[in-house]
Amino acid sequence: TDANDFIYQYAASRNYNPQKDLGKITAKLLLINSQEDFCNPVELRIAEQEIKKVKNGRLVQLPFGDLNRGHYTFFQAAFWQQHLAQFLGVLPH
């Protein structure tokens, strides 16, 4: 990955704030966050509070683990695939 790509990605999202429009979302939304996510730290409880604004929103907090990769745990489907399958109705809750 090119360093300039990372700089662009972070700069482009620096001032992005979806909070005011979360209540407009009517589609089912699944938010999966790792407890060791450095971009969205669980200690701030932002995701926990903001998901309540989404009518059909659900939050899953992945626990700490030796194999987790912080924010990049989303690249590891083994950590979240069962939650997605349940959300989509493929697996029972």
Side-chain angles (χ1 to χ4, degrees):
T1 302
D2 182 68
N4 290 317
D5 289 341
F6 276 117
I7 292 170
Y8 173 80
Q9 291 169 19
Y10 286 113
S13 65
R14 181 172 293 137
N15 296 322
Y16 176 69
N17 184 353
Q19 289 176 317
K20 66 180 176 69
D21 292 323
L22 291 175
K24 296 178 183 178
I25 299 172
T26 57
K28 288 177 63 174
L29 182 122
L30 177 63
L31 170 57
I32 300 176
N33 194 42
S34 172
Q35 288 186 344
E36 34 192 84
D37 187 337
F38 59 88
C39 290
N40 303 298
V42 69
E43 295 83 7
L44 296 180
R45 300 177 62 137
I46 294 171
E48 188 178 332
Q49 293 302 314
E50 296 302 315
I51 196 66
K52 295 174 185 175
K53 296 178 182 176
V54 179
K55 182 179 180 180
N56 296 304
R58 179 168 172 238
L59 171 64
V60 172
Q61 295 279 10
L62 300 175
F64 289 98
D66 294 338
L67 300 175
N68 288 17
R69 299 291 179 255
H71 186 70
Y72 297 102
T73 301
F74 68 86
F75 284 126
Q76 309 295 321
F79 289 101
W80 48 261
Q81 64 187 357
Q82 74 277 6
H83 299 289
L84 178 60
Q86 288 174 343
F87 182 75
L88 296 174
V90 178
L91 292 176
H93 289 277

